[in-house]
Amino acid sequence: MDIPTKPVDPLLGQAIEAWQAVRPAQPPMLNRKTNEYADFLFAHRARRVAKHYINKAIIPMLCRKAGVTNADVRGNITSHRARSTIASRLYNAKEPMPLFELQEWLGHRTPEATTHHAKLTPNTLARAYNDAGYFARNVRTIGGDAAQRQFVSRSQAFTGHGREHQSILTWGKKAVAGG
């Protein structure tokens, strides 16, 4: 039987192999999504361990053993939240996984399902905006290098929080007008 696998971090792979070495052997079981027989990681007495049991018993027990809380400001830590967190981190990595590759890795049928899990962080969005160079190109186009230097020096002097976007527009207009 050809069992599809997903690439995982070697440390996780080693933990899975260690678990498979000590748990009782389990027969392949029908995967309701693919209608094919597969080996399930969480199985006991030839039955899949229910998601409810994983979320309400196993994850809290593992959190206690690890010395971490099993909830945060967003609520209880669950298998689904872990999946969303991994998707977002892969999507926001320094060298991010492209959306369609992430969709395949998660096993989603549509890109919309993947974008539900993979959320851009503010840092990633700011980096993408900066890398696009849109604002800098427009300042150069409108007022040349002198306007850009004046804009940069004024924006570096600005230390307030929450008014940045309004101030950037105001200073940009002053820079262009020579003021």
Side-chain angles (χ1 to χ4, degrees):
M1 169 174 23
D2 185 27
I3 300 172
T5 59
K6 292 182 183 186
V8 295
D9 187 84
L11 185 61
L12 178 58
Q14 292 168 0
I16 290 170
E17 288 172 359
W19 166 242
Q20 289 174 326
V22 298
R23 75 171 185 167
Q26 302 294 318
M29 292 172 261
L30 185 65
N31 181 333
R32 293 183 293 253
K33 285 186 177 180
T34 64
N35 210 26
E36 295 177 5
Y37 282 86
D39 293 321
F40 286 90
L41 185 60
F42 295 107
H44 182 66
R45 296 184 180 167
R47 297 183 67 156
R48 291 177 57 183
V49 175
K51 279 189 227 175
H52 180 77
Y53 186 75
I54 291 171
N55 292 330
K56 297 294 183 181
I58 295 175
I59 290 176
M61 181 267 303
L62 291 173
C63 288
R64 279 192 304 279
K65 280 188 163 203
V68 297
T69 62
N70 64 338
D72 61 14
V73 294
R74 291 177 50 207
N76 289 332
I77 296 172
T78 65
S79 57
H80 192 262
R81 282 236 353 249
R83 183 174 163 86
S84 289
T85 298
I86 291 168
S88 288
R89 289 192 176 173
L90 288 170
Y91 196 56
N92 287 286
K94 187 174 184 179
E95 294 184 29
M97 184 179 277
L99 185 64
F100 289 112
E101 290 175 12
L102 187 58
Q103 175 186 341
E104 183 70 24
W105 191 82
L106 290 168
H108 290 154
R109 292 183 188 156
T110 66
E112 292 78 20
T114 305
T115 57
H116 175 75
H117 288 282
K119 303 294 183 196
L120 283 174
T121 64
N123 287 343
T124 300
L125 192 56
R127 184 174 55 236
Y129 179 81
N130 187 50
D131 290 350
Y134 176 78
F135 193 74
R137 276 194 312 274
N138 283 326
V139 168
R140 278 194 306 274
T141 301
I142 294 169
D145 289 337
Q148 184 179 10
R149 282 192 299 277
Q150 186 178 12
F151 171 78
V152 169
S153 67
R154 288 183 180 188
S155 62
Q156 287 172 342
F158 179 71
T159 58
H161 184 71
R163 299 182 321 205
E164 269 178 339
H165 302 294
Q166 176 189 6
S167 298
I168 286 172
L169 293 174
T170 303
W171 285 338
K173 289 177 184 173
K174 288 180 183 175
V176 170

